[in-house]
Amino acid sequence: MSRKKLLLAAVLVSSACALAQTPTPGDPQAAPAGQAPATPAAAPAAAPAAGPTALPTPAMTGPVTDIAPLVFDAGPIGKLSVNGVISGTGMWQSNHVPGDNPTQAALSNGQIFLQKTDGWFQFYLQAGAYTLPALATPYLATDKTLTTFFGPVPVGFVKLQAGKNTFFEIGSLPTLIGAEYTFTFENMNIERGLLWNQEPAISRGIQVNQTMGKFSAALSWTDGFYSNRYTWLSGSLAYTNGPHAISFVAGGNYGQTKFQNLATTVENNGTIYNVIYTYTKGAWIIQPYYQHTDVPTNASIGVVSGASTNGGAILVSRAFNHGFSLAGRTEYIESSGNGAKQSVNLAFGPGSGGWSGTLTPTFQAGGFFVRGDLSWVHATGYTPGFAFGSTGTNADQPRAMAEIGFIFGNNVVEKKP
């Protein structure tokens, strides 16, 4: 995708925002307009009858649901809300790559959420420890995740309410891109999928959000894949009607950088597009989406030959009685290019692809939750050394993962007489 086409896409999204004057379903602060999981999750946990309700930030797709925060008087600052999550995970995997282990255990979340949600000046702070488990990637310990990725305050921004349906956010922001959020407790499955591996997760910059009626739109200027180089434009336009929601999302880098690390991958130099549909009704959440990415040729930054990906996924969640639910995800991705042309690697070697399947049963009672992932990844057209196992020549990787934890806030426990 050329730079001119990228800028044109951003202008079109911005124009749609101005013409539609749109709002997000619910509070748009919590879920970027481009992410269909902003739709309320099925069977949310009930808040106490006479107290604060659960806040939409951090955004949670379900089946794990948030509870009402503790609200306290902070003097001249006003009323603040605080809640959090603490959880641990254990994992078994086959065909692990060198440097990884067949079994793992770690603190997956130890985070506090502090926010001011009224007035023209608001803010949100998310601080603590976390891990970012994802399919087909080595598991990184909690301490290494903090130092390698987004630090002990991964998300933090001020929100300026410029009008009833218009607000700005400035700081470290959740991305507009994709259908899965960054942290384990926010998603249907414990591990994020193959398509998520192509997407930015958290970006630093500024974002404007506009809402009206059944439409919502957002436009952001950020550092993309946490590169500290502010050359990314992203935009989203969403329409919601009853249980149906559809989102169009575009983002990309109008500059190029040689800088790379685990957070800032080669995809930072490309463009990405999503079409996301979400059906949310009763106990059901059904969410298919399509994704296209492109990393252009740029020999000056080491991309000798560019490549692109096309992928699709279907995520489904069904809530049952007594706190039980079952979620599943299946996805497929393929990349262009080949090794002879020294094409950039966007999967399991140039021109490779893969598919995955994940099943996640969950039980939640109040703030307590426990769930498990059973997943399988199969690499296709892979380059030897870039797949699974000690030699990178095994096409398959099964995993089993469990997570147990607590969402906490203003839990009201009534004493029996």
Side-chain angles (χ1 to χ4, degrees), residues 50-102:
T53 58
L55 294 174
T57 310
M60 296 172 66
T61 306
V64 176
T65 54
D66 203 357
I67 62 174
L70 175 66
V71 179
F72 65 95
D73 187 348
I77 300 176
K79 291 183 179 179
L80 298 183
S81 299
V82 61
N83 53 351
V85 58
I86 184 167
S87 63
T89 54
M91 183 184 73
W92 167 88
Q93 62 180 336
S94 180
N95 300 326
H96 63 283
V97 299
D100 206 359
N101 295 309

Side-chain angles (χ1 to χ4, degrees), residues 2-249:
S2 69
R3 185 178 303 180
K4 290 182 179 179
K5 288 183 179 180
L6 171 61
L7 293 175
L8 177 60
V11 170
L12 287 174
V13 172
S14 180
S15 300
C17 174
L19 291 172
Q21 300 287 306
T22 35
T24 339
D27 183 348
Q29 166 188 311
Q35 288 185 317
T39 327
T53 58
L55 294 174
T57 310
M60 296 172 66
T61 306
V64 176
T65 54
D66 203 357
I67 62 174
L70 175 66
V71 179
F72 65 95
D73 187 348
I77 300 176
K79 291 183 179 179
L80 298 183
S81 299
V82 61
N83 53 351
V85 58
I86 184 167
S87 63
T89 54
M91 183 184 73
W92 167 88
Q93 62 180 336
S94 180
N95 300 326
H96 63 283
V97 299
D100 206 359
N101 295 309
T103 58
Q104 302 273 2
L107 175 74
S108 55
N109 292 286
Q111 301 191 63
I112 295 290
F113 318 122
L114 179 68
Q115 53 193 309
K116 183 179 187 296
T117 60
D118 59 356
W120 70 270
F121 177 83
Q122 304 174 27
F123 67 84
Y124 175 79
L125 288 175
Q126 181 172 334
Y130 52 89
T131 57
L132 303 173
L135 298 181
T137 63
Y139 192 89
L140 200 61
T142 310
D143 58 335
K144 293 181 180 178
T145 301
L146 285 176
T147 56
T148 304
F149 283 89
F150 313 117
V153 186
V155 182
F157 55 86
V158 298
K159 175 183 174 182
L160 306 177
Q161 193 75 43
K164 182 180 179 181
N165 296 320
T166 306
F167 63 90
F168 294 83
E169 293 170 321
I170 306 168
S172 187
L173 307 167
T175 181
L176 291 172
I177 307 296
E180 293 183 280
Y181 295 115
T182 300
F183 303 100
T184 61
F185 66 92
E186 296 181 290
N187 297 294
M188 296 185 191
N189 311 106
I190 302 173
E191 293 188 275
R192 268 69 83 229
L194 300 178
L195 270 63
W196 185 85
N197 289 335
Q198 303 292 322
E199 304 163 0
I202 293 172
S203 304
R204 292 166 291 196
I206 183 169
Q207 181 172 306
V208 58
N209 302 267
Q210 180 69 47
T211 65
M212 180 174 283
K214 296 179 180 180
F215 290 89
S216 60
L219 183 66
S220 66
W221 173 55
T222 69
D223 66 347
F225 285 69
Y226 215 70
S227 67
N228 203 30
R229 291 150 177 83
Y230 294 85
T231 54
W232 259 72
L233 288 177
S234 302
S236 67
L237 179 62
Y239 172 78
T240 302
N241 187 4
H244 308 283
I246 187 165
S247 302
F248 302 93
V249 191

